[in-house]
Amino acid sequence: CAAKEALAAEATAAAFAEGRARLETGDLAGYVRGYLSRHHRDHPDEGCPLVALAAEAGRTDGDIAAALADGAVELLAALAERLPERPDESAEHRSERAAEILALMVGAQVLARATRPTVPAFSDALLAALRRDLLARLAAPGPASDEGLPTDR
């Protein structure tokens, strides 16, 4: 059982490395389009481990959970590095923007996969709407302040 979990953790880390490589070698808009595509939804074996494993990993503390957490942190850092720069933006705010984008993409894919079998039109529309919204956000210059961001402070 431990060997099986170690192998799964290794596969999770490799899947994250693949996704990070796509992000780091391509353009950010292309990465968002690919992540929020029907292909990504329909081929979970080729996709981001966050979409497939996040809910389950939160219930364990083994090697898979550690690989998922490490991969998520590294993916978030890579995403933050690729975001368009904003004048006077702090590193903390840039990281928060990256976290918001990643959460939106993961959540959209989870919902799209869950609804595809029974309401495929909703699943397709969800991906299209989030893809349009995120691409517009990336293209538009925004404020460097935290104004408009949700806060729990």
Side-chain angles (χ1 to χ4, degrees):
C1 190
K4 192 175 183 179
E5 182 167 336
L7 187 60
E10 190 176 308
T12 300
F16 269 115
E18 231 176 80
R20 239 184 6 266
R22 277 193 301 275
L23 174 60
E24 293 170 347
T25 60
D27 71 304
L28 182 56
Y31 181 79
V32 168
R33 276 191 294 277
Y35 201 103
L36 293 173
S37 69
R38 287 183 297 211
H39 181 85
H40 186 207
R41 178 197 62 199
D42 298 344
H43 296 90
D45 55 318
E46 299 174 13
C48 179
L50 279 173
V51 178
L53 301 173
E56 193 60 37
R59 295 177 247 236
T60 70
D61 60 358
D63 292 345
I64 297 170
L68 195 69
D70 291 345
V73 168
E74 291 171 6
L75 181 60
L76 187 62
L79 182 58
E81 287 178 22
R82 301 290 296 184
L83 287 176
E85 290 187 25
R86 291 182 174 171
D88 303 319
E89 181 177 45
S90 69
E92 180 183 9
H93 186 261
R94 189 179 184 86
S95 182
E96 288 172 356
R97 278 198 304 135
E100 178 184 19
I101 290 167
L102 183 59
L104 286 170
M105 291 192 312
V106 170
Q109 272 299 346
V110 168
L111 285 172
R113 287 180 183 177
T115 57
R116 180 178 175 250
T118 54
V119 277
F122 173 80
S123 179
D124 289 346
L126 177 71
L127 290 174
L130 264 289
R131 192 171 49 244
R132 261 191 323 272
D133 180 65
L134 285 179
L135 291 172
R137 286 186 197 196
L138 293 174
S145 73
D146 292 344
E147 186 178 321
L149 284 180
T151 181
D152 57 0
R153 295 177 207 158

